[in-house]
Amino acid sequence: MTDVNGPSPTARRGWLDRVERLGNALPDPVFILAGCIVVLVIVSVFAAGSGWSAVNPVTGDRLATQSLLSSENVARLFVDMPETLTRFPPLGLVLVVMLGAAVAERSGLFAALLGGGVRHLPTRFLSPAVFIIGLFSHHAADAAYVVLIPLTALMFARAGRHPLAGVAIAYAGISGAFAGNIIPGQFDLLMLGITAPAAQLIDPSYGVNPLGNWWFTLAIGVLFTPIAWFVTDRIIEPRLGKWSGQLPEGVAEADDMGVLDARQRKGLMLAGLVALAVVGLFAALTLWPGAPLIDAEAVGPRRLAPFYGALVAAFMMLFLGCGWAYGAAAGTVTSHRTLVRMMGEGMRDIAPYIVLAFFAAHFVAMFSWSNLGPVLAVRGAEALTALSMPKPLLLVSLLGMSSGLDLVIGSASAKWSAMAPVVVPMMMLLGVSPEMTTAAYRMGDSIFNIVTPLASNFPLVLIISQRWKPDFGIGSMIALMLPYSIAFGLAGIALVTLWVSLSLPVGPGAPATYRLPPPAIAAPAIP
């Protein structure tokens, strides 16, 4: 096991250490989730009994809360228990990607690549480089948690830096800066696709540009990169103290910090050829006429939605094929039985995550059954209509409500589906464009992703951290990531305020302001 020294005596007096001690006094995450389920049941019974509801602003239907102790929901809990677990979105993704990542890690491929990379990259530039990669990884959906975070921990360790600082900066780039991106992707299509019908409630002719948040998300990436760099190198890593330099059990490493022998160099060459083959395969599946990874009936960037969905399979095939090719040449994979053993060991490492996923899946599913999520979101959105404030303050209020709901409702699209039909038309009437409203919501949705234990990937990141420090608890993770949340929150509020105050375009052809079309002039009646 890795022996990691704790924070220095001076650092222990800091407020983050008090947060850590308080958080580590909490029960195991499994019991926290179990307790949340109990509380959820009680709240659902009270809400349903008191008739708490909201009106769907699109259909006009009444959204009523449901008791989780109703006959239907009790039967659903026990009858659908296996299906509730297997339908938990992050679980299947983690299992599929890990089949390939386990081979790439245990064959030594990751270590060989990282060792060579670390030799040529100054350690002071590791933090911004990883953060930018984290921004690009938004296109890979949740696969980034399985792949990038463990790799970054190993990369920092190989560079002589604390691996938990690598976990922190990677997690911040993937989840804390989820509203930012360099190139628009599937999440932009999803969110602005929800915005479009909400905007058409006011203006039926309004067309939402799928790239309508590009300039704003790009600005987040540019602004947050130096912030994350500063927080990592000046706050997080000094607080972690000195690392012992010992790698966890089961993590292979290249000798002499990236100095590879002839067999390892041959392995890297073969792995590169396999990578080209996998890339070529998915390019062919995307580019040829009638390709299966293109939605021929969609328009614009939405045509690539099947391709984005196939990235999970692409990552698994990439890591499995490259790890096998490297290991066969380097001597770490001696037969197909070695390959299967490595895949099994990868599954063994994430067994604690599967236990957590069982309870997390049931909390998420039961929250959906109770209908509390849509009612909470609609009621909160309606509360904004009662506030008579300038546009910047109104958008900051939306940002704050979005971030607050993020502590209990993990799905950004689920919250926005319920909020958009109220918030978007309201903001249009106040002169704010649907794209700007969406951008403010997305900014708020990102702030607390990395500090709430109810986030679907929080347990996975915690388990990855525990490979490097076995006694790393929930409080340790919250204290590790809280400086990023605070810094990103303040910067995000300033960015939204500045953006709408200066009426900057949110994306190509997407202004921050909206002007209602003039009313149609009726033709004079013929006497």
Side-chain angles (χ1 to χ4, degrees):
M1 286 295 187
T2 307
D3 178 20
V4 184
N5 297 326
S8 66
T10 300
R12 286 188 185 278
R13 292 194 292 268
W15 64 275
L16 286 175
D17 296 287
R18 291 193 291 272
V19 171
E20 179 174 0
R21 288 192 294 272
L22 179 63
N24 285 340
L26 295 172
D28 187 271
V30 167
F31 279 84
I32 291 178
L33 286 168
C36 288
I37 290 174
V38 172
V39 172
L40 177 62
V41 170
I42 296 172
V43 172
S44 73
V45 172
F46 175 80
S50 61
W52 198 49
S53 62
V55 175
N56 186 315
V58 176
T59 65
D61 297 334
R62 180 160 294 277
L63 301 170
T65 52
Q66 302 293 323
S67 170
L68 290 173
L69 293 184
S70 67
S71 296
E72 179 186 357
N73 282 326
V74 170
R76 184 187 296 182
L77 172 64
F78 292 107
V79 173
D80 293 348
M81 190 171 283
E83 190 175 355
T84 299
L85 172 62
T86 56
R87 286 189 304 186
F88 186 51
L91 178 62
L93 186 146
V94 169
L95 293 176
V96 170
V97 174
M98 185 55 70
L99 287 173
V103 174
E105 180 182 27
R106 284 166 171 74
S107 67
L109 172 63
F110 285 164
L113 289 170
L114 293 172
V118 167
R119 288 187 70 203
H120 299 96
L121 181 66
T123 58
R124 66 181 181 274
F125 294 133
L126 275 179
S127 296
V130 167
F131 188 81
I132 292 171
I133 294 172
L135 292 175
F136 276 106
S137 73
H138 295 167
H139 297 298
D142 290 345
Y145 295 91
V146 186
V147 177
L148 181 61
I149 294 178
L151 279 180
T152 303
L154 179 58
M155 182 184 297
F156 269 61
R158 294 298 310 275
R161 299 180 59 180
H162 203 294
L164 291 182
V167 170
I169 187 68
Y171 192 22
I174 296 169
S175 193
F178 193 65
N181 217 331
I182 307 300
I183 300 173
Q186 57 182 341
F187 191 67
D188 296 270
L189 305 180
L190 173 62
M191 297 304 289
L192 290 165
I194 295 171
T195 301
Q200 289 162 2
L201 293 173
I202 291 293
D203 183 355
S205 65
Y206 195 91
V208 175
N209 181 358
L211 305 180
N213 280 171
W214 191 357
W215 306 149
F216 186 84
T217 58
L218 181 60
I220 290 175
V222 172
L223 175 63
F224 281 18
T225 298
I227 292 175
W229 187 359
F230 176 87
V231 170
T232 303
D233 292 6
R234 298 299 182 89
I235 299 176
I236 300 301
E237 197 162 12
R239 180 178 173 273
L240 288 170
K242 187 178 166 125
W243 176 59
S244 67
Q246 192 175 2
L247 293 178
E249 182 181 352
V251 176
E253 63 171 322
D255 296 332
D256 301 324
M257 285 298 292
V259 178
L260 308 178
D261 60 28
R263 293 196 306 170
Q264 291 170 321
R265 290 193 294 271
K266 179 182 177 182
L268 287 179
M269 182 183 68
L270 292 177
L273 293 175
V274 171
L276 289 175
V278 173
V279 171
L281 171 63
F282 279 84
L285 293 174
T286 305
L287 298 178
W288 82 34
L293 297 185
I294 288 291
D295 185 353
E297 297 180 358
V299 178
R302 291 189 180 90
R303 290 169 55 84
L304 288 173
F307 168 75
Y308 289 130
L311 285 178
V312 174
F315 274 114
M316 188 274 287
M317 294 174 60
L318 180 68
F319 293 130
L320 176 61
C322 292
W324 192 352
Y326 174 85
T332 54
V333 178
T334 56
S335 70
H336 69 278
R337 292 182 175 84
T338 305
L339 191 77
V340 174
R341 176 178 56 79
M342 290 179 174
M343 296 167 76
E345 290 173 351
M347 295 297 102
R348 181 192 65 191
D349 287 347
I350 63 170
Y353 175 72
I354 298 175
V355 176
L356 285 166
F358 175 83
F359 291 89
H362 280 81
F363 175 79
V364 171
M366 293 172 72
F367 198 89
S368 174
W369 302 342
S370 71
N371 222 23
L372 282 168
V375 174
L376 278 171
V378 170
R379 284 291 188 94
E382 289 174 340
L384 287 177
T385 62
L387 299 176
S388 179
M389 297 188 301
K391 285 185 286 188
L393 291 181
L394 199 56
L395 283 172
V396 168
S397 298
L398 171 62
L399 185 154
M401 186 175 69
S402 171
S403 60
L405 287 173
D406 197 41
L407 293 171
V408 292
I409 307 174
S411 172
S413 59
K415 291 195 298 289
W416 190 231
S417 295
M419 292 173 62
V422 173
V423 175
V424 170
M426 179 195 71
M427 292 294 187
M428 292 172 72
L429 294 172
L430 295 174
V432 180
S433 73
E435 291 85 356
M436 185 70 242
T437 302
T438 307
Y441 167 82
R442 292 175 64 178
M443 183 63 254
D445 178 68
S446 300
I447 295 172
F448 291 129
N449 282 342
I450 51 180
V451 295
T452 171
L454 297 181
S456 59
N457 285 293
F458 187 96
L460 175 62
V461 181
L462 179 62
I463 289 169
I464 293 171
S465 302
Q466 288 171 345
R467 294 187 67 186
W468 299 92
K469 187 176 182 182
D471 62 346
F472 199 75
I474 293 176
S476 305
M477 177 61 69
I478 293 173
L480 184 73
M481 304 309 301
L482 191 56
Y484 295 103
S485 283
I486 294 172
F488 290 170
L490 294 174
I493 290 172
L495 186 63
V496 168
T497 302
L498 180 67
W499 209 279
V500 72
S501 297
L502 298 179
S503 298
L504 300 175
V506 196
T513 57
Y514 173 78
R515 188 173 293 177
L516 283 169
I521 301 175
I526 300 176

